[in-house]
Amino acid sequence: MASNEIQKPVTSFKQRFSPNDKIRLATIGMGIMGNQNTDTALKVPGVELVAACDLYTGRLTRAREKYGNHIYITRDYRELLNRKDIDAVIIGTSDNWHARIAIDAMNSGKAVYCEKPLVQKISDGLPVIAAQKKTGKPLQVGSQRVSSIVYLEAKKLYKTGAIGQLNCVEASFDRQDALGAWQYTMPIDGSPETVDWDRYIEGMNKMPWDAKKFFWWRNYRDFGTGVAGDLFVHLLSGIHLLTDSFGPTTIFASGQLCYWKDGRDVPDIMTAIMQYPESKEHPAFQVMLRVNFVSGQGPKGVTRFIGSEGAMEMLDSGFNLTHSIMSKAPGIGGWDALSTYPQAMQEELKRQYDLKYTAEEKKRPQVPDVRYVAPKDWDAHLEHFKNFFDGVRDNKPLVEGPDFGFRAAAPTLACNDSYFQKKIINWDPVNMKVV
């Protein structure tokens, strides 16, 4: 079948800012995403890093090596919030600190870019939203798929009815290596002398120093949110963006710890089924999610939106839209009961069928497929930060504020509750609460 290929030009942003437009930035949590986010943020003109916070001294040393000796460094994030020369903060800490720091930052007058998931616990979501509403400070959640040109272009086609009526979404995010399974390289000097362990576990029951629980925090329920909070949240962010959905009403997850038995207390394989109700934005549909950290298919991810007349397969670099449309005529013969009837009856049924349907009505309608290829230099992460800083400077709407971010995160956190409690979780996506 014929295929139409679409490619869009990359957008640009203004390059000149007055001193009054300059945004002074601090990063709290200088791990992998703290560094990635800071590097990307500094590509936006008029943004300056003035401070960094981390509980491990080696990362503070590296921050000055990388960004300059002029930046202020500290182990205590509250010191940054008290500074008047900081306009915005990036939160790149372990998940258990997201809500606390975000609320403190907004109450201190800072704009917030918070890594996904917005919160570690469902109960923390509404307080974060309330703090943002009370302070009016911009809060962007860092799931850059929401700024993906691939999803934005696919959404345009979806809204035209290109796949018919949506009924099912299949989404997966698979990996097959130790780093992908969160076994990151450990520093040689990690110890209670170089890590502020007491501050890290503040508010928890006392526990002895454990390098894995600090440097591999995603592997532990006390500090992270497992594969659901790390990766399901990306999948749901894209699904919600394209469908304008508020979220599912029922959530069930199953999984196992299959391969990476390194002391972690979260599964390395998880699947989930979510039922999305009919709403004014979309028909009822079902979502099936999977993460597999020991996938023999290799590291790959895909999301498929399946409708009554076609499907869109979403990839990092683009998407493919294919069509399969039923004929008006239901068909007769073949894998059918027709041949089980007396011969004369078969002939009469075929005669009646031919009288009822034209030759054209017996054919499947043919519609050209569409292949979209994203511009090679499009950077969704950069676009996400551009949108955030536009919100900080000019109060422009953010693409992933706290409501959107929590509605994407909460069902994934419910997956953890479902897995560990072995039950279906019922969720109110409009009022954002467990029911």
Side-chain angles (χ1 to χ4, degrees):
M1 190 180 293
S3 175
N4 296 330
E5 184 166 311
I6 308 172
Q7 193 166 32
K8 296 282 185 178
V10 178
T11 58
S12 62
F13 47 87
K14 58 183 181 179
Q15 301 291 324
R16 298 177 184 275
F17 294 98
S18 70
N20 290 335
D21 285 328
K22 182 172 288 188
I23 294 174
R24 294 170 294 276
L25 180 67
T27 300
I28 302 170
M30 293 302 300
I32 298 172
M33 285 311 303
N35 274 265
Q36 292 289 324
N37 283 329
T38 302
D39 292 348
T40 301
L42 293 178
K43 293 178 183 178
V44 180
V47 177
E48 174 188 6
L49 182 70
V50 298
C53 172
D54 201 275
L55 299 180
Y56 168 51
T57 55
R59 285 181 172 151
L60 296 177
T61 299
R62 177 57 181 158
R64 279 188 165 169
E65 289 176 350
K66 187 175 179 180
Y67 301 109
N69 287 326
H70 66 284
I71 68 169
Y72 180 80
I73 56 174
T74 179
R75 286 178 164 189
D76 187 349
Y77 76 89
R78 292 166 293 193
E79 290 184 18
L80 305 188
L81 303 188
N82 290 331
R83 290 176 64 109
K84 302 299 182 184
D85 61 340
I86 293 174
D87 304 306
V89 297
I90 293 172
I91 300 174
T93 63
S94 54
D95 295 344
N96 61 307
W97 279 93
H98 285 187
R100 192 184 329 183
I101 297 175
I103 290 172
D104 287 350
M106 290 184 288
N107 285 335
S108 299
K110 314 302 184 191
V112 173
Y113 184 101
C114 183
E115 255 308 304
K116 55 75 199 163
L118 175 62
V119 294
Q120 185 198 29
K121 298 176 181 177
I122 290 176
S123 58
D124 289 334
L126 292 181
V128 172
I129 291 171
Q132 193 280 321
K133 285 181 166 53
K134 182 188 77 172
T135 63
K137 303 307 295 184
L139 190 163
Q140 179 94 305
V141 180
S143 185
Q144 61 268 19
R145 184 166 292 198
V146 178
S147 292
S148 164
I149 194 172
V150 174
Y151 274 79
L152 295 173
E153 292 299 319
K155 182 174 183 176
K156 294 176 184 177
L157 286 175
Y158 168 77
K159 291 295 186 180
T160 68
I163 63 170
Q165 181 171 298
L166 177 68
N167 54 55
C168 182
V169 181
E170 302 170 344
S172 60
F173 210 136
D174 292 346
R175 293 175 174 176
Q176 195 195 24
D177 59 73
L179 295 179
W182 307 325
Q183 290 186 348
Y184 301 128
T185 302
M186 292 271 197
I188 59 177
D189 65 345
S191 72
E193 286 68 47
T194 59
V195 173
D196 193 340
W197 176 253
D198 288 339
R199 191 182 302 279
Y200 181 61
I201 63 170
E202 184 180 297
M204 298 180 179
N205 293 328
K206 286 288 184 182
M207 63 181 78
W209 157 253
D210 189 324
K212 285 184 178 180
K213 289 183 178 179
F214 184 80
F215 292 105
W216 293 1
W217 58 264
R218 291 192 187 279
N219 293 323
Y220 299 94
R221 295 173 67 189
D222 283 338
F223 308 101
T225 51
V227 297
D230 186 32
L231 299 174
F232 278 2
V233 70
H234 281 305
L235 302 176
L236 287 195
S237 295
I239 292 168
H240 291 185
L241 172 67
L242 190 137
T243 61
D244 289 322
S245 181
F246 279 5
T249 51
T250 57
I251 299 138
F252 178 76
S254 178
Q256 62 178 329
L257 182 55
C258 175
Y259 184 86
W260 302 103
K261 298 178 180 180
D262 50 14
R264 71 183 65 198
D265 57 13
V266 294
D268 53 14
I269 296 176
M270 180 179 275
T271 58
I273 298 175
M274 302 181 182
Q275 184 63 47
Y276 280 65
E278 182 179 359
S279 70
K280 65 182 180 64
E281 289 83 14
H282 55 71
F285 63 95
Q286 192 169 83
V287 169
M288 293 168 282
L289 306 178
R290 186 191 74 241
V291 167
N292 184 345
F293 273 2
V294 59
S295 173
Q297 297 183 97
K300 62 191 296 186
V302 64
T303 298
R304 293 184 186 90
F305 295 87
I306 302 170
S308 59
E309 297 184 349
M312 284 195 293
E313 184 174 88
M314 312 298 296
L315 305 169
D316 288 341
S317 59
F319 66 82
N320 296 315
L321 167 62
T322 58
H323 298 91
S324 179
I325 304 173
M326 290 186 286
S327 62
K328 182 178 179 180
I332 191 168
W335 191 262
D336 186 14
L338 178 70
S339 63
T340 67
Y341 305 145
Q343 186 63 40
M345 186 184 294
Q346 292 184 41
E347 297 304 321
E348 177 60 21
L349 285 168
K350 286 191 283 187
R351 187 186 70 80
Q352 292 177 11
Y353 183 84
D354 290 338
L355 287 173
K356 186 174 181 179
Y357 299 106
T358 66
E360 197 63 31
E361 289 172 333
K362 295 175 186 176
K363 296 178 182 177
R364 284 178 171 264
Q366 300 297 304
V367 178
D369 295 341
V370 175
R371 179 170 179 261
Y372 172 78
V373 180
K376 292 182 180 179
D377 49 356
W378 178 269
D379 186 337
H381 200 196
L382 179 57
E383 294 298 317
H384 214 54
F385 269 103
K386 284 161 54 179
N387 174 254
F388 171 59
F389 291 129
D390 283 345
V392 176
R393 284 193 180 98
D394 304 319
N395 202 33
K396 291 184 178 179
L398 299 181
V399 295
E400 193 174 6
D403 290 69
F404 186 104
F406 183 49
R407 285 192 168 109
T412 72
L413 304 180
C415 286
N416 287 329
D417 294 338
S418 175
Y419 170 77
F420 287 106
Q421 297 173 28
K422 296 180 171 57
K423 68 178 188 180
I424 294 172
I425 305 297
N426 295 300
W427 174 248
D428 178 347
V430 177
N431 296 303
M432 294 178 278
K433 61 182 182 180
V434 176
V435 295

